[in-house]
């Protein structure tokens, strides 16, 4: 789960990670009131969406008067912001964050993620703030300082020293401030079961203070149960409605832009099915994992979600029946086709326990648009043909 | 021969009396696995599926001599269960539970390593030595005995792969589902050398997916120390960047962890890489015939 910048900054502040002051607004009037409350004579109006690259997309603007705050808030609220992370369809801006202006001397980068090879969190810092970190990693990897922290010992002095000397921070007062900043951020990461935190840019002000000018946080979904305060920050309007609906039925769904709907049990086999369709010359319309226990209800829901996509020309149901026997899944599919009006050809490949019985059940049902397949390759080929025939 | 587990392996189940634990322990017993007891706090002294129940892992080991634990406790209790098993002296914990927090697994795995306990999973189908010992949730009937070792991040692709190998007239020595979470126990790096050393295994199938770099590490290791033929499939060639494909670990972030990168590395290490899981069985047949010739 991801949260907005303003929410991440609320969490930062709780842990003593310094940020500029700011207040979130839902309307231009609120934006002006917030600017007044913050005081000063320069403000930043920032679109709140779950995607990076907002500045380049026109979602972050500087205001030098309260009138300008209102004009900009009016302009940004309700706009569909397109950035390199939103996809071409963009994201609707429903909230703006009004923040006091900051005196930027240097822009840095600071993040915490899990290093899967070392199996511990790693703090990543760079002097190349404001740039996409992946790009820095690719072009100038020596400009990223990586310090892994073993949670068994926590953030120690040497971790901090490796960071500041790696970044070339020589002023002693600045070193102290940066180390305190990084240590607090590590604590934010650990205590909230974050999956990643990214501050880009982290700025150094003219006075030598460090401030989180941006803040991005993602959380481990498996740990949300013990963080009701964070779960309450969930913004459902930022999530794909179909993916969300699927999630409510314990289905894992991701829309893609092809023509063949896929319904598969298991994430690996689901990806493998997409790959096979592609290999046979077709294009997958989605990733859909119906989980270990495919039954009539989950299959019916799967059909429903897949068929919402108007590009779908055929559906490939690929289920490997293990503990759940294929004959039961076959009956589930028949039941599902009664519940949902399936108007495209459906290729069904059931393999594993009782596969033969399942084939008999499907054949005897004599449903016009159900095509049975004997194995994965055969099924993918038939699905590709069926989709082409429908064109 | 086989790797890690066989017909003599004594197993306890943590989370024995729960719904999942009960269902799958029963299936494992039916397969012939030596489940010698289980642990459920406050149910010590009872009997379940004809086996004794204990309050703690220590008591269970003392009474039964078990060396392996199959873990079915709910996600929030997985770390505790793994650490208890490590502390009590279990050799191998097979963690089936899905949805354990990453931070918990990080701590639990570090503790297991410190105590010399191997782990498999979490969020995995488990391990099976064909026709001898099943510790997990896989359909046992698919796994006919034979000479092919199998290592897979994905559950259903393990079954798919094993099924194809059997259809080609071969069989499985041991199959290990290592899981697709960000932090997992035994991986290709530890398991490949075990299969290399196992006289019964003549070829190895490894099934990976996008995300992380375990397959890249495996490629380096294969180049150096594996002489047996290896067939590999990497799921997620068509997966878009930044989208999580079901498994918590299956996500391409930045330029790292793509299927192509992994397939290229494995191919360069001499592995027979297939582009569709539908080709696994055929590829195994090919490498085994070429190896004999």
């Amino acid at each position: 789960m991801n949260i907005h910048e303003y929410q991440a900054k609320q969490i930062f502040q709780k842990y003593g990670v310094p940020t500029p002051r700011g207040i979130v607004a839902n309307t231009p009037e609120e934006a002006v009131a917030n600017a007044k409350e913050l005081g000063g004579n320069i403000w930043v109006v920032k679109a709140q969406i779950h995607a990076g690259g907002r500045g380049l997309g026109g979602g972050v603007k500087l205001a030098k008067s309260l009138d300008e705050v209102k004009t900009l808030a009016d302009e940004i609220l309700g706009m569909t912001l397109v950035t390199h992370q939103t996809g071409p369809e963009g994201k609707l801006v429903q909230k703006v964050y009004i923040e006091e202006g900051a005196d930027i001397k240097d822009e840095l980068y600071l993040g915490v993620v899990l290093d899967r090879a070392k199996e511990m969190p790693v703090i990543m810092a760079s002097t190349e703030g404001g740039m996409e970190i992946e790009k820095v990693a690719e072009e100038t990897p020596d400009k990223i300082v990586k310090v892994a922290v073993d949670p068994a010992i926590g953030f120690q002095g040497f971790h901090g020293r490796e960071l500041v000397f790696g970044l070339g921070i020589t002023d002693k007062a600045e070193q102290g401030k940066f180390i305190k900043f990084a240590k607090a951020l590590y604590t934010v990461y650990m205590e909230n079961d974050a999956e990643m935190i990214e501050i880009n840019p982290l700025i150094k002000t003219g006075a030598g203070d460090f401030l989180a000018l941006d803040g991005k946080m993602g959380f481990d979904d498996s740990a949300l149960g013990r963080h009701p305060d964070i779960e309450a920050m969930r913004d459902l309007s930022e999530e794909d409605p179909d993916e969300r609906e699927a999630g409510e039925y314990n289905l894992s769904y991701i829309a893609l832009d092809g023509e063949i709907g896929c319904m598969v049990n298991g994430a690996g086999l689901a990806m493998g099915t997409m790959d096979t369709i592609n290999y046979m010359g077709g294009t997958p319309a989605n990733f859909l994992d119906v989980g270990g226990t495919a039954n009539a209800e989950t299959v019916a829901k799967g059909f429903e979600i897949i068929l919402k996509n108007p590009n779908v020309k055929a559906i490939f149901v690929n289920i490997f029946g293990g503990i759940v026997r294929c004959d039961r899944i076959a009956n589930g599919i028949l039941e599902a086709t009664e519940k949902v009006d399936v108007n495209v050809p459906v290729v069904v490949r059931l393999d594993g326990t009782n596969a033969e019985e399942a084939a008999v059940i499907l054949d005897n049902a004599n449903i016009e648009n159900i095509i049975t397949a004997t194995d994965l390759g055969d099924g993918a080929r038939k699905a590709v043909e069926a989709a082409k025939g429908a064109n | 021969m086989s790797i890690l587990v066989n017909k003599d392996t004594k197993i306890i189940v943590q989370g024995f009396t729960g719904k999942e634990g009960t269902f799958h322990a029963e299936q494992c017993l039916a397969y012939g696995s030596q489940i010698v007891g289980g642990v459920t706090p406050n149910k010590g002294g009872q009997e379940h599926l004809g086996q004794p129940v204990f309050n703690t892992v220590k008591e269970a080991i003392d009474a039964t001599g078990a060396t392996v634990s199959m873990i079915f406790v709910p996600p929030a209790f997985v770390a505790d269960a793994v650490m208890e098993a490590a502390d009590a002296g279990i050799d191998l914990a097979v963690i089936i539970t899905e949805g354990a927090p990453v931070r918990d697994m990080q701590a639990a795995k570090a503790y297991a390593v410190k105590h010399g306990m191997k782990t498999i999973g979490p969020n995995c189908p488990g391990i099976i030595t064909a026709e001898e010992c099943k510790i997990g949730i896989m359909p046992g009937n698919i796994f006919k005995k034979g000479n092919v070792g199998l290592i897979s991040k994905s559950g259903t692709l393990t079954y798919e792969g094993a099924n194809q190998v059997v259809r080609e007239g071969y069989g499985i020595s041991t199959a290990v589902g290592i899981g697709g979470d960000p932090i997992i126990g035994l991986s290709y790096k530890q398991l490949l050398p075990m299969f290399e050393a196992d006289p019964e295994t003549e070829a190895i199938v490894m099934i990976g997916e996008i995300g992380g770099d375990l397959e890249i590490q495996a490629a380096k290791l294969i180049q150096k120390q594996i002489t047996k033929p290896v067939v590999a499939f990497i799921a997620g060639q068509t997966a878009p960047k930044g989208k999580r494909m079901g498994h918590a670990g299956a996500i391409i972030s930045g330029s790292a962890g793509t299927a192509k990168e992994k397939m290229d590395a494995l191919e360069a290490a001499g592995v027979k890489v297939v582009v569709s899981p539908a080709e696994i069985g055929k590829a195994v047949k090919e490498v085994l015939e070429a190896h004999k010739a």
Side-chain angles (χ1 to χ4, degrees):
Chain A
M1 184 192 111
N2 296 322
I3 57 173
H4 288 294
E5 171 198 3
Y6 79 93
Q7 295 167 319
K9 285 181 173 173
Q10 283 168 4
I11 298 174
F12 288 175
Q13 285 154 11
K14 218 168 90 188
Y15 286 83
V17 175
T19 68
R21 294 181 310 130
I23 311 171
V24 72
N26 296 296
T27 63
E29 292 71 31
E30 268 180 43
V32 173
N34 293 352
K36 266 190 202 156
E37 196 182 325
L38 290 168
N41 50 21
I42 190 160
W43 302 272
V44 190
V45 182
K46 306 170 96 174
Q48 299 295 292
I49 55 164
H50 288 184
R54 292 170 299 161
L56 288 172
V60 180
K61 294 259 168 80
L62 203 64
K64 289 179 179 153
S65 69
L66 291 173
D67 279 348
E68 221 180 330
V69 169
K70 188 163 185 206
T71 316
L72 290 171
D74 200 29
E75 192 184 302
I76 294 172
L77 280 165
M79 82 186 275
T80 300
L81 195 52
V82 179
T83 81
H84 67 283
Q85 287 185 4
T86 58
E89 67 279 9
K91 275 190 169 173
L92 179 70
V93 182
Q94 292 172 309
K95 283 183 165 67
V96 287
Y97 190 50
I98 310 301
E99 198 169 61
E100 62 182 357
D103 167 23
I104 303 174
K105 189 160 176 254
D106 287 321
E107 294 192 23
L108 298 98
Y109 170 96
L110 188 65
V112 191
V113 289
L114 178 76
D115 183 326
R116 284 168 62 174
K118 290 202 170 80
E119 301 189 333
M120 49 181 84
V122 61
I123 301 176
M124 293 197 294
S126 169
T127 50
E128 306 300 291
M131 273 183 67
E132 219 184 308
I133 198 68
E134 281 95 358
K135 229 180 211 157
V136 181
E138 225 168 88
E139 289 162 13
T140 47
D142 50 313
K143 291 203 167 150
I144 301 177
V145 185
K146 288 186 184 175
V147 176
V149 181
D150 183 347
I153 61 167
F155 189 102
Q156 298 292 323
F158 75 90
H159 293 123
R161 291 193 295 279
E162 283 178 13
L163 284 169
V164 293
F165 290 117
L167 289 171
I169 299 174
T170 48
D171 181 89
K172 275 197 180 165
E174 284 178 18
Q175 286 179 346
K177 284 177 193 168
F178 190 87
I179 290 171
K180 203 175 148 207
F181 191 114
K183 185 173 181 176
L185 197 68
Y186 170 79
T187 310
V188 171
Y189 179 88
M190 289 305 293
E191 289 193 2
N192 294 286
D193 280 291
E195 190 177 72
M196 69 95 190
I197 308 181
E198 201 174 59
I199 300 175
N200 194 15
L202 178 164
I203 57 154
K204 190 170 92 178
T205 65
D209 288 317
F210 294 99
L211 285 177
L213 205 59
D214 193 11
K216 221 188 275 174
M217 283 186 85
F219 298 89
D220 176 2
D221 288 340
S222 296
L224 283 176
R226 58 191 180 204
H227 300 289
D229 51 331
I230 287 165
E231 194 152 28
M233 291 181 171
R234 172 164 243 147
D235 182 350
L236 292 177
S237 69
E238 284 286 336
E239 295 170 23
D240 180 285
D242 294 332
E243 290 176 18
R244 201 176 69 220
E245 189 190 345
E248 280 164 19
Y249 290 85
N250 285 321
L251 309 177
S252 174
Y253 173 84
I254 289 163
L256 302 167
D257 46 19
E259 295 185 338
I260 299 170
C262 305
M263 183 166 4
V264 189
N265 65 333
L269 187 59
M271 283 189 278
T273 303
M274 286 158 48
D275 295 343
T276 308
I277 286 171
N278 188 56
Y279 173 57
M280 300 280 181
T283 51
N286 65 275
F287 165 94
L288 175 60
D289 172 9
V290 293
T293 50
N295 58 38
E297 203 205 352
T298 52
V299 171
K301 200 72 214 171
F303 278 132
E304 235 176 75
I305 291 167
I306 288 173
L307 287 167
K308 276 191 191 169
N309 178 349
N311 298 334
V312 170
K313 301 229 161 54
I315 296 175
F316 181 20
V317 179
N318 181 23
I319 289 177
F320 200 101
I323 301 282
V324 187
R325 302 189 325 255
C326 290
D327 49 332
R328 289 185 54 185
I329 299 169
N331 284 319
I333 291 170
L334 294 181
E335 251 183 85
T337 54
E338 279 163 26
K339 283 186 204 162
V340 186
D341 177 30
V342 184
N343 51 9
V344 296
V346 180
V347 178
V348 181
R349 178 264 180 155
L350 294 174
D351 212 335
T353 315
N354 291 9
E356 290 81 12
E357 289 88 330
V360 171
I361 290 170
L362 289 175
D363 287 339
N364 287 348
N366 228 341
I367 297 177
E368 198 186 349
N369 60 345
I370 289 191
I371 304 159
T372 53
T374 50
D375 60 36
L376 172 55
D378 182 45
R381 197 175 308 114
K382 284 177 175 164
V384 172
E385 277 165 19
K388 281 191 179 140
N391 268 328
Chain B
M1 283 287 288
S2 54
I3 69 165
L4 290 163
V5 299
N6 59 35
K7 61 183 190 322
D8 301 318
T9 303
K10 286 185 176 167
I11 309 147
I12 54 163
V13 183
Q14 285 174 266
F16 191 32
T17 57
K19 189 173 155 234
E20 295 283 307
T22 301
F23 178 79
H24 290 291
E26 203 164 17
Q27 302 262 330
C28 292
L29 280 162
Y31 194 76
S33 307
Q34 294 232 25
I35 291 180
V36 294
V39 177
T40 299
N42 290 315
K43 291 199 176 169
Q46 297 182 11
E47 198 175 89
H48 186 63
L49 307 179
Q51 305 299 326
V53 182
F54 302 91
N55 286 319
T56 67
V57 175
K58 271 203 181 86
E59 285 170 23
I61 293 176
D62 285 347
T64 65
T67 56
V68 174
S69 176
M70 174 163 73
I71 298 181
F72 274 103
V73 301
F77 306 107
V78 165
D80 184 11
V82 172
M83 292 191 273
E84 181 186 358
D87 191 72
I90 286 286
D91 292 335
L92 169 68
V94 182
I95 313 155
I96 307 299
T97 309
E98 175 180 354
V102 172
R103 193 183 71 189
D104 293 11
M105 280 318 301
Q106 192 280 331
K109 168 130 190 237
Y111 191 77
V113 168
K114 193 171 145 193
H115 284 257
M117 180 178 80
K118 299 182 196 77
T119 53
I120 293 175
N123 190 13
C124 75
I127 175 170
I128 183 167
T129 288
E131 294 167 24
E132 288 192 35
C133 175
K134 159 178 137 137
I135 306 174
I137 60 175
M138 61 288 272
N141 56 320
I142 294 166
F143 297 82
K144 300 278 177 279
K145 199 162 195 55
N147 302 327
V148 180
L150 200 153
I151 312 167
S152 170
K153 273 186 179 176
S154 146
T156 34
L157 276 179
T158 309
Y159 318 154
E160 178 74 48
N163 198 44
Q164 286 182 31
V165 167
V166 170
R167 271 194 197 157
E168 291 293 339
Y170 299 95
I172 300 295
S173 52
T174 301
V176 190
I178 61 175
D181 274 12
I183 301 250
I184 57 171
L186 294 179
S187 164
Y188 311 110
K189 224 165 96 179
Q190 295 84 29
L191 294 164
L192 285 165
M194 292 183 201
F195 278 125
E196 176 76 14
D198 172 33
E200 194 184 308
T201 300
E202 286 174 18
I204 306 161
V205 174
M206 65 171 271
I207 298 169
E209 58 191 30
I210 51 164
D213 75 336
L214 293 177
E215 294 84 353
I216 304 277
Q217 293 178 35
K220 287 180 189 152
L221 180 127
I222 289 168
Q223 189 137 38
K224 277 193 226 142
Q225 12 172 329
I226 306 297
T227 60
K228 293 176 181 176
V230 180
V231 169
F233 169 70
I234 306 294
Q237 296 157 62
T238 44
K241 221 168 150 178
K243 289 276 186 184
R244 191 179 300 273
M245 291 288 152
H247 288 160
I251 183 165
I252 302 170
S253 42
S255 54
T258 63
K260 177 159 194 320
E261 181 191 11
K262 296 181 180 194
M263 291 162 78
D264 289 349
L266 287 163
E267 209 138 43
V271 172
K272 172 131 187 99
V273 179
V274 294
V275 291
S276 158
E279 313 282 313
I280 292 172
K282 253 187 356 213
V284 165
K285 185 175 180 188
E286 256 178 69
V287 298
L288 275 173
E289 281 176 358
H291 206 60
K292 269 191 197 127

